[in-house]
Amino acid sequence: MRISKHITVVASLAIMVSGVIVGGFNTVSGASATKTISVMYWTNFDNPGTNAIPKLINAAAAQLAKQYPGAKVVLDPITTSSESTYYAKIDLAQRSAATAPDVVMEDSFLIGSDASAGFIQAIPKIKSWSGWQHFPAAMQNVVTYNGKVYGVVNSTDVQLAYYNAKLFREAGIAVPWQPHSFADIVTASKALAKHDKGIVPAWLYTGTPLGEASSFRGFEVFLDGTNDRLYNSATKKWEISGPGFTATWNFLAAMRPYTEPESDWSNPNGSSTVNLNLMPANQVGIVFDGSWVSTAYVKAGPKPDPSFFTNFKEARFPTNGTGGYTNQSGGFAWSLSSRAGNSKLGLAMIEDMSSAGNIATFDAADGNIPPRTDATTQQQWAAINKVDPVLTFATNQLAVTNYRPNLPQYPQISTEIATLTGDISAGSMTAAQAETAFAAKVTQIVGASHVVRMTK
Amino acid sequence: MVAPLIVFILAFIGWPIIWTMILSFTNMTITGPTATHFQFIGFANYRQLFSSGSGLVQSIFLSLYYLVASAYIGQALFGFALAYLMLSCSMRVRKTVGSIIIICWLVPEIIAAWMWFAMLSDGGTLQQGLHAVGLPYQTWLISHPMISVSLANSWRGVAFSFLLFSAALSDVPAELLDAAKVDGAHTWRRLRSIILPLLATTILIDFVLITLGTLNDFTLIFAMTGGGPGTASNVLSVFMYQQAFSTFQLAYGTAIAVVLLVIGAIFSVIYIRTLRRRGALNFVR
């Protein structure tokens, strides 16, 4: 019978499809009883062993219970193998009321994207909260999309060029070191490579396995040192090429012989490799990384090591010869899910988690920079700055920092950048090819009428 | 009896296929405005997928490499060789070897992946062992990622083919082999002219099952190499996952799933037709 034949074929297909599809859709149990709210967060964000987020949630939950007797908070921890998996998981969870949390920890660059998807809801009442005025305009802007506020930032950072003073001296490079152009970085990396072939001269985040970090601190922060930008908020155009882009792509290609091997950057846990293995073993010369790295090595940190602070020093991110310095900041935020079972309690919980005291305790434990000004005057923040002077140096960089475009197209463009940085590192693309491919990809994503080529 | 069967197939088996195909013609994403308000965009995903530089051709090649190396050679051929060689072994040897092979099969896939990762990675067991005897080791997961994952999948899956062939070999009439021996047929001739023809149906059934299992395999490769380094082990299933869940292009990922589906279907139809010609699969008339 022909039907029987077809059933056999369909059965074969179904075996395949079930295997293909099931892997992607995980569900997370949510809690939406009237007085019970859930908070979904990324466990990997915490410095290992600090449990700073659970402590923050529990502290805020206790305060919430005093304001709203009977209110309970359920922790909804998500542990993943990469950042992008966390982003996918929270978005998939928020597609259904059965799995959506009330409050969710969002990477600030996804705020616009998740707001436009309808996953998180605007929280206009936050503007009447007494704490809101303590967040500087820049910190309010990163959670604002289309004129509406979608979250409260709980942490921010800057990028630093950590350099190993011991290796620098041995390689004959003057210390303290402060590059003033891309060429200065290449020159130092070359000298380090010549001095010791067994070390990684420079660690530069690159390729898709390291996700957003490759785009953010492997490309964009360097582009910020030129006159070009990813997105021009005045003209509302995406910049796709120009002298700054050329200089940045060329810089990445020039650095290729001196950066970490593919075995390191193709590992999604590459940041642990460099932060917790290569740096304390003095096996890396320069590391372009977030300002939180040093906190792991303070006395009460997960990997106490006083020698870290004598071996590693910090340099500012240079502009490419135009004078001054640059930087780029990120950060995570607490947002209210559109499918929250109890939005009122959820908003109150966000406010409690964002109090000056709670933010100071949380950011001190995880080595972040507090996003609200009055948190930096708290005793907890002063205490961590005494033992980790890098944080004071980092906080001073906020004056020259930049933020990512908070637009729905950014996550996809960021992924394309990460892919191209990996192509350069793998040697499968030249700088010129990457520049051409980037322009084509961005044009394809946002449309030809929304892009511009810079000429100077 | 037929109606409930059709309902069951449509609801639980047919719908995922249909929904996957529908999504592949949309611009649905994980995040952004098209996450919830997606539109039909015709064949745009397929045009992008089949354009040069999309990575599809490489992924198809890697999937076929993985299929041949780990399923046909590593599992079927090696499983048959083990089962055949065990015929002439003592019961004690057969029990010991058989138990070890089955234990490999019982190990959950993610644990098997981790064990092989721990063995082949930089600073892993193999490197330490070779270093101890003064031999160099180039990290296989980086230098030979496809051989590494194929080895791991062969190790894990050989038991299935081994058990299937052991059962089939025990059904080969001993008097037939004895008669051939008396007539002067050597080992190779007996294998080629008697055993393999008698086992043909078993071999085809084994091929059907291990082909589908291997083409769809995701966990082992994703856990061991993540599709890398670069895209060196980016088989179709990993390519699909990355596009759908790492770059957030969910609909584009489903288009890759459909390609995977078609490749699996082609293999399945060929094997099932061959089996039917041999009179096997009596439920398919």
Side-chain angles (χ1 to χ4, degrees), chain A residues 270-343:
Chain A
S271 60
S272 298
T273 304
V274 62
N275 295 159
L276 301 179
N277 298 337
L278 296 177
M279 290 178 89
N282 295 313
Q283 288 295 303
V284 59
I286 314 168
V287 180
F288 299 98
D289 213 331
S291 46
W292 63 82
V293 168
S294 56
T295 317
Y297 297 98
V298 300
K299 197 176 177 185
K303 204 167 178 178
D305 182 1
S307 71
F308 177 90
F309 294 93
T310 50
N311 288 337
F312 277 93
K313 301 296 174 193
E314 298 76 42
R316 297 171 174 86
F317 263 78
T319 58
N320 191 29
T322 55
Y325 305 100
T326 190
N327 220 298
Q328 183 158 294
S329 296
F332 275 69
W334 296 112
S335 290
L336 197 57
S337 173
S338 296
R339 293 189 164 88
N342 192 329
S343 295

Side-chain angles (χ1 to χ4, degrees), chain A residues 5-68:
Chain A
K5 288 181 198 170
H6 294 155
I7 288 173
T8 311
V9 174
V10 168
S12 308
L13 297 174
I15 292 167
M16 300 190 55
V17 171
S18 56
V20 164
I21 289 181
V22 169
F25 292 92
N26 286 340
T27 56
V28 182
S29 61
S32 57
T34 317
K35 284 200 160 182
T36 301
I37 59 168
S38 61
V39 179
M40 188 176 275
Y41 64 96
W42 188 36
T43 61
N44 307 50
F45 183 87
D46 274 338
N47 260 337
T50 60
N51 289 320
I53 303 175
K55 285 177 186 169
L56 167 69
I57 296 172
N58 288 331
Q63 291 154 4
L64 186 74
K66 283 181 188 165
Q67 293 167 271
Y68 298 91

Side-chain angles (χ1 to χ4, degrees), chain A residues 1-5 7-21 23-25 81-82 84-85 87-88 91-92 95 109-110 112-119 145 208-209 262-268 339 408 411-412 415 419 426 441 444, chain B residues 5-6 9 12-14 16-17 20-21 23 28-38 48 117 122 139 142 208 212 215-216 222 225 228-231 240-242 245-250 257 260-265 268-269 272 276 281 283-285:
Chain A
M1 294 289 289
R2 291 195 66 79
I3 288 178
S4 302
K5 288 181 198 170
I7 288 173
T8 311
V9 174
V10 168
S12 308
L13 297 174
I15 292 167
M16 300 190 55
V17 171
S18 56
V20 164
I21 289 181
F25 292 92
S81 58
S82 67
S84 62
T85 310
Y87 307 147
D91 286 349
L92 290 171
R95 282 178 178 269
F109 83 90
L110 278 170
S113 191
D114 282 353
S116 68
F119 293 148
Y145 172 67
T208 49
E262 195 164 353
S263 54
D264 283 337
W265 64 257
S266 63
N267 176 0
R339 293 189 164 88
Q412 204 182 339
T415 304
T419 305
K441 284 285 184 186
Q444 183 191 330
Chain B
L5 178 67
I6 290 174
I9 287 173
F12 295 102
I13 299 173
I17 301 171
T20 299
M21 289 181 171
L23 282 185
M28 191 186 199
T29 50
I30 292 281
T31 181
T34 50
T36 41
H37 297 95
F38 54 90
Q48 189 185 339
F117 179 84
D122 203 17
T139 312
I142 302 301
V208 172
L212 294 178
L215 276 177
N216 288 335
F222 191 73
T225 67
T231 54
M240 176 200 68
Y241 174 85
Q242 284 174 343
F245 301 108
S246 296
T247 67
F248 311 133
Q249 303 303 300
L250 195 60
L260 182 54
L261 193 70
V262 169
I263 293 174
S268 302
V269 168
I272 288 170
R276 213 167 48 227
L281 295 181
F283 61 93
V284 183
R285 283 183 289 145

Side-chain angles (χ1 to χ4, degrees), chain A residues 57-178:
Chain A
I57 296 172
N58 288 331
Q63 291 154 4
L64 186 74
K66 283 181 188 165
Q67 293 167 271
Y68 298 91
K72 287 184 180 165
V73 178
V74 174
L75 279 72
D76 202 345
I78 305 282
T79 302
T80 62
S81 58
S82 67
E83 272 190 333
S84 62
T85 310
Y86 174 72
Y87 307 147
K89 280 200 172 213
I90 59 171
D91 286 349
L92 290 171
Q94 290 184 95
R95 282 178 178 269
S96 161
T99 52
D102 293 82
V103 177
V104 60
M105 185 179 179
E106 289 266 348
D107 197 323
S108 57
F109 83 90
L110 278 170
I111 292 277
S113 191
D114 282 353
S116 68
F119 293 148
I120 51 177
Q121 56 175 297
I123 45 174
K125 284 182 183 169
I126 201 75
K127 289 183 178 176
S128 56
W129 169 54
S130 60
W132 185 244
Q133 60 181 310
H134 295 290
F135 288 82
M139 287 296 115
Q140 294 180 357
N141 288 339
V142 294
V143 288
T144 302
Y145 172 67
N146 269 355
K148 293 177 183 169
V149 179
Y150 283 88
V152 178
V153 183
N154 59 35
S155 55
T156 189
D157 56 33
V158 293
Q159 314 314 307
L160 300 174
Y162 295 88
Y163 64 94
N164 190 307
K166 181 172 169 282
L167 290 174
F168 265 56
R169 285 191 201 99
E170 288 171 6
I173 308 166
V175 174
W177 176 70
Q178 176 56 60

Side-chain angles (χ1 to χ4, degrees), chain A residues 248-265:
Chain A
T248 308
W249 292 118
N250 283 337
F251 165 66
L252 297 188
M255 286 295 284
R256 185 179 169 239
Y258 315 118
T259 50
E260 70 276 14
E262 195 164 353
S263 54
D264 283 337
W265 64 257

